[in-house]
């Protein structure tokens, strides 16, 4: 029996700010779920669901019910890492231009790929990861 992650949630002090940020950065679409301050996030084609196999997952965005994380505070919960097929450096730079801040710079990791972490405009930590290293080789290739 497998136990795959099939959903993630992002907490937002100002939901529209993060809807705009993630929509612009990744092309994700957001749909309001009923009358509650909750939005379903569609991350794109081939996303997995509870009963649907896929290569990624969809999520949700919800109104934060407390203060945003303080700079330098320890991670409290899980964070997400978004797979980038190519151009992770460009996506990282675009995130910074859209209001993110760097948590840890992009770096090549032998056998893993190229990745780094950012804080979104509300202080949530998220990562970017690509199998393509800075020299153009694929870290996951045989």
């Amino acid at each position: 029996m497998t136990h795959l992650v099939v959903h993630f949630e992002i907490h937002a002090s100002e939901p529209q700010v993060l809807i705009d940020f993630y929509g612009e950065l990744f092309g994700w679409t957001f749909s309001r779920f009923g009358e509650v301050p909750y939005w379903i996030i569609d991350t794109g084609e081939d996303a997995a669901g509870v009963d649907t196999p896929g290569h990624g997952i969809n999520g949700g965005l919800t109104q934060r019910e407390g203060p945003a994380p303080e700079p330098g505070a320890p991670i409290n919960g899980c964070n997400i890492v978004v797979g980038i097929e190519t151009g992770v450096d460009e996506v990282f730079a675009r995130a910074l231009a859209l209001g993110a801040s760097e948590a840890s710079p992009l770096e090549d990791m032998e056998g893993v790929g190229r990745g780094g972490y950012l804080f979104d405009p509300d202080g949530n930590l998220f990562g970017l990861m690509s199998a393509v290293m800075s020299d153009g080789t694929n870290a996951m290739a045989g």
Side-chain angles (χ1 to χ4, degrees):
M1 176 183 221
T2 60
H3 302 282
L4 301 175
V5 176
V6 296
H7 187 80
F8 65 90
E9 290 185 333
I10 300 170
H11 292 249
S13 300
E14 297 179 50
Q16 192 60 52
V17 171
L18 293 189
I19 288 169
D20 293 344
F21 174 78
Y22 287 107
E24 179 69 25
L25 183 60
F26 297 128
W28 292 351
T29 58
F30 296 77
S31 303
R32 184 78 183 249
F33 185 74
E35 297 300 315
V36 297
Y38 194 91
W39 293 258
I40 301 297
I41 302 171
D42 183 340
T43 61
E45 290 184 32
D46 295 329
V50 174
D51 296 321
T52 309
H55 299 286
I57 60 175
N58 289 319
L61 185 133
T62 187
Q63 177 72 51
R64 186 181 302 283
E65 294 187 15
E70 292 290 326
I75 297 171
N76 185 7
C78 296
N79 68 296
I80 62 171
V81 177
V82 178
I84 308 296
E85 288 185 34
T86 60
V88 70
D89 289 79
E90 290 82 4
V91 175
F92 197 89
R94 190 167 69 234
L96 293 171
L98 290 170
S101 58
E102 184 179 287
S104 65
L106 287 168
E107 64 178 314
D108 289 344
M109 294 167 273
E110 196 66 40
V112 176
R114 182 164 178 76
Y117 286 87
L118 299 139
F119 293 108
D120 72 16
D122 203 20
N124 298 304
L125 182 68
F126 72 101
L128 301 178
M129 178 62 65
S130 176
V132 180
M133 306 281 269
S134 60
D135 65 3
T137 60
N138 188 321
M140 305 304 272

